Amino acid sequence: MSFGEPNNPYGQPPQGQPGYGYPQAPQGVPPQGAYGYPATPPASPYGVYPAAPYGMAPVMPGGLKAARVMLWIMGILQILVGIGIAVGGTVLVKEADAGANSSAAAAATGLFVGMGVFLLALGIWGVVIAAKCANGGNGIRVSGIVYGSLLTLGGLSNLGLSQAQATVEGTNRNGSLIGLVLGILIIVFFSKAETGAWFKRPRF
């Protein structure tokens, strides 16, 4: 009696061929997700920023470059206007002390000083965002969208509240339109997929 006969019920069962019915990984390659070996990382919703040629730095997207210039312009203008309002308010406070109704004048001047400080802080914020566009992370992208939203809301508010004289109203309306348009463009450029991929690109 031979154990190798295929019809022998007491013999050893024939050994199956390796990998029969199951896909086998190549020799020397561990399966994905095995212990000690990381699985394939999930795909980013913003895609992968294209790698630059060897020895060259990646290039910033064109839309982000345009938004960066807008941030520099608006930030510097807001800093200058904020300083002007704050200094002008201080001068008005000194003049109000010599007036008959100094308390009301001081209250109004304090409001101007507060507006100047707010514009100064907003302008510094815009300049910091513009300076961090090259090496910043996704937080800079979110800050740019928030900054653009504030510009848009400020432009809409100024357009709705402009009820002064004709010349002054026209000047305020033009400035409000500029801020409104720049705010919308900043939001659009910072919300693009290529901008998100830029801020989420790997850094070595």
Side-chain angles (χ1 to χ4, degrees):
M1 180 181 298
S2 174
F3 292 98
E5 297 180 1
N7 297 326
N8 186 2
Y10 301 101
Q12 295 181 353
Q15 298 181 355
Q17 297 181 358
Y20 180 75
Y22 300 93
Q24 297 293 326
Q27 293 294 332
V29 179
Q32 293 292 328
Y35 179 76
Y37 298 95
T40 304
S44 172
Y46 301 102
V48 179
Y49 195 78
Y54 181 76
M56 298 180 60
V59 181
M60 184 183 300
L64 182 58
K65 289 181 179 180
R68 192 183 189 187
V69 173
M70 298 175 191
L71 287 170
W72 280 116
I73 295 174
M74 289 301 301
I76 293 174
L77 287 178
Q78 287 172 338
I79 290 175
L80 295 177
V81 173
I83 293 175
I85 292 177
V87 173
T90 303
V91 174
L92 290 178
V93 168
K94 293 181 179 180
E95 294 180 355
D97 291 339
N101 192 5
S102 59
S103 59
T109 305
L111 178 61
F112 291 145
V113 172
M115 292 173 57
V117 173
F118 174 76
L119 286 176
L120 179 62
L122 192 62
I124 294 175
W125 184 24
V127 169
V128 171
I129 296 173
K132 294 288 186 180
C133 283
N135 300 318
N138 192 55
I140 298 299
R141 174 176 169 269
V142 175
S143 297
I145 295 175
V146 175
Y147 181 86
S149 301
L150 291 178
L151 286 182
T152 304
L153 292 176
L156 290 174
S157 300
N158 291 333
L159 286 176
L161 297 177
S162 59
Q163 296 178 354
Q165 297 178 354
T167 56
V168 178
E169 182 180 1
T171 303
N172 292 337
R173 180 170 297 175
N174 292 334
S176 300
L177 284 174
I178 293 174
L180 176 62
V181 172
L182 290 181
I184 294 175
L185 290 176
I186 289 174
I187 295 174
V188 171
F189 289 142
F190 270 84
S191 300
K192 284 188 173 182
E194 59 182 5
T195 303
W198 166 262
F199 285 110
K200 289 179 176 293
R201 73 190 189 280
R203 292 165 174 80
F204 303 99

